[in-house]
Amino acid sequence: MKLWKIATTLALLTTMAGSLSFAGTLEAYSNSGVRDVGGSSYLSGNTSSGDLIQIISVGSNGTIDPPDTLGSTTSDDSLLGTTHVGFGFPFNPNEGKFSKTFTHDLLTVGAVVYVRAWNDSVVDATKYYGDSNTYELQSEMDSHDFGTWTVSNPVHVPVELSSFSVEAKPGYNEIRWTTQSETENLGFHVYRSFEPEGERIQITKKMVDGAINSQVRHDYSYEDRTVDENATYYYWLADIAVDGRIAVHGPQKVISVSRPTAYGLDQNYPNPFNPSTSLTYTLKEDGSVKLRIYNIRGQLIRELIDVKQPAGQHVVEWDGLDNFGNLVPSGTYLYVLDVNGHKFTRKMAMTK
């Protein structure tokens, strides 16, 4: 009886340090529970939407070790990643199915992994379904449904993602991510849902352009200004390769905060500064915004922005240059915010 039907697309990678690592997506479904640790019988109960899935390496002893009472790995087993039944098969969750994309630089050809399942989204106070049999990572494609976890022909992972986070700001949620390298990466889309296994809606109207090919760090951000106050959201990041391959990261959970109820201009930071500083201000409503720098005699030094902006909190960097590209001398300067008939002024000091 076949319990887990496995369809995998794994890539064997060579890292910059020269060591081997595996990356890819495991997709599977269960029709009658999960094989127990002994491997000779099946535990009753079908996996269903929301059940927790753990992907685990067996470690150097080559055997499956039982979990502790909270589902943590024991002995020399190590947790590679977690996902949930109903999560995956990109943007179309299915009952009894799951998908997990992961990269792990400690796995080499011949390493052994297995799947563990629990009957809820958390492992404490839930029923333990048991473990699947083991899957050995191979260097060549293998068509076995049960018993071998296969590796496709070597390809490059389009994006090496080092961070992905979401932060609630007044009136919007800010999504940030950082890549350490990109290989034939066309760009990114951001998806959002009200539930971790709910329908994911694309919120990026157009693709956030990627670096195509790069071996240096790139920082990205996107502002979701279509959020309700004090609502819970889940975000996913999808990177799209030139050849159409898609890798999905997330979800990241955030609770949105209330929209601003007043206009305001914060003290710059750092202050004193040399040579640059950040100017933060808050808009109660959408409006035409002007932010200018003056010297202590009231002479215009730099016009930083003159644009329409949505309600919420905004940050503008001043690099210490005037309108002609010259670095300003040490001294006291005024920065003035003018929006919707409201004007705010603060002082700051440039030191050398």
Side-chain angles (χ1 to χ4, degrees):
M1 177 180 179
K2 292 183 179 180
L3 176 63
W4 291 95
K5 182 175 177 63
I6 303 295
T8 61
T9 304
L10 294 177
L12 180 62
L13 305 177
T14 301
T15 66
M16 294 182 66
S19 61
L20 295 178
S21 64
F22 282 86
T25 300
L26 168 67
E27 295 180 344
Y29 66 85
S30 170
N31 54 17
S32 60
V34 187
R35 186 187 294 268
D36 68 12
V37 174
S40 59
S41 63
Y42 295 94
L43 302 182
S44 61
N46 297 335
T47 55
S48 60
S49 183
D51 288 351
L52 179 70
I53 300 295
Q54 296 176 315
I55 302 171
I56 301 169
S57 168
V58 302
S60 60
N61 65 11
T63 60
I64 298 175
D65 299 315
D68 64 16
T69 56
L70 295 181
S72 299
T73 56
T74 57
S75 187
D76 66 344
D77 287 6
S78 59
L79 182 65
L80 303 180
T82 60
T83 185
H84 297 85
V85 173
F87 177 82
F89 295 86
F91 320 127
N92 183 26
N94 289 274
E95 182 77 10
K97 296 183 178 182
F98 68 87
S99 175
K100 178 63 180 178
T101 300
F102 71 95
T103 300
H104 203 279
D105 59 9
L106 297 181
L107 295 181
T108 59
V109 173
V112 177
V113 298
Y114 62 100
V115 175
R116 172 173 290 159
W118 301 76
N119 74 335
D120 205 344
S121 60
V122 293
V123 296
D124 52 330
T126 63
K127 178 180 178 182
Y128 171 45
Y129 281 148
D131 298 316
S132 70
N133 63 340
T134 58
Y135 302 91
E136 181 179 347
L137 298 178
Q138 304 290 316
S139 60
E140 301 294 337
M141 179 61 73
D142 193 308
S143 61
H144 295 175
D145 288 333
F146 197 74
T148 302
W149 211 2
T150 61
V151 180
S152 67
N153 294 328
V155 295
H156 292 291
V157 170
V159 170
E160 181 187 355
L161 194 71
S162 60
S163 68
F164 170 40
S165 63
V166 182
E167 182 180 358
K169 299 289 186 69
Y172 68 98
N173 293 333
E174 183 176 45
I175 301 96
R176 290 182 174 273
W177 64 97
T178 298
T179 64
Q180 296 300 324
S181 68
E182 298 180 37
T183 303
E184 297 186 354
N185 178 48
L186 197 60
F188 305 88
H189 276 302
V190 178
Y191 292 79
R192 187 185 74 187
S193 176
F194 291 105
E195 300 290 341
E197 287 85 34
E199 181 183 4
R200 304 177 211 173
I201 304 299
Q202 179 182 313
I203 60 173
T204 40
K205 294 182 179 179
K206 65 177 183 178
M207 183 183 296
V208 178
D209 292 337
I212 306 297
N213 290 295
S214 174
Q215 294 299 315
V216 298
R217 169 177 170 156
H218 288 271
D219 296 310
Y220 298 90
S221 66
Y222 181 81
E223 295 178 358
D224 181 9
R225 293 186 175 271
T226 61
V227 299
D228 296 325
E229 296 182 9
N230 303 314
T232 300
Y233 294 98
Y234 295 83
Y235 290 89
W236 288 263
L237 177 69
D239 61 72
I240 300 94
V242 172
D243 63 7
R245 286 176 295 141
I246 299 175
V248 182
H249 314 271
Q252 292 290 335
K253 178 183 176 181
V254 70
I255 300 177
S256 60
V257 297
S258 301
R259 298 181 184 276
T261 58
Y263 295 96
L265 178 63
D266 296 346
Q267 186 63 53
N268 66 301
Y269 181 84
N271 187 46
F273 65 94
N274 178 19
S276 62
T277 188
S278 298
L279 311 178
T280 302
Y281 54 93
T282 302
L283 306 183
K284 177 183 176 181
E285 301 168 325
D286 299 355
S288 297
V289 180
K290 295 180 180 179
L291 185 60
R292 296 186 172 103
I293 309 294
Y294 296 86
N295 62 22
I296 200 65
R297 295 189 297 273
Q299 297 170 317
L300 179 64
I301 298 298
R302 177 80 175 271
E303 182 173 81
L304 292 177
I305 59 171
D306 184 359
V307 296
K308 290 185 178 180
Q309 290 186 320
Q313 189 179 74
H314 301 267
V315 180
V316 175
E317 300 289 330
W318 182 36
D319 54 12
L321 302 180
D322 62 19
N323 280 331
F324 302 100
N326 301 313
L327 186 64
V328 300
S330 298
T332 300
Y333 293 87
L334 308 175
Y335 56 106
V336 179
L337 174 69
D338 192 345
V339 54
N340 294 345
H342 300 272
K343 184 173 288 189
F344 304 87
T345 303
R346 283 185 177 270
K347 293 181 179 181
M348 57 183 171
M350 166 70 152
T351 60
K352 293 184 179 179

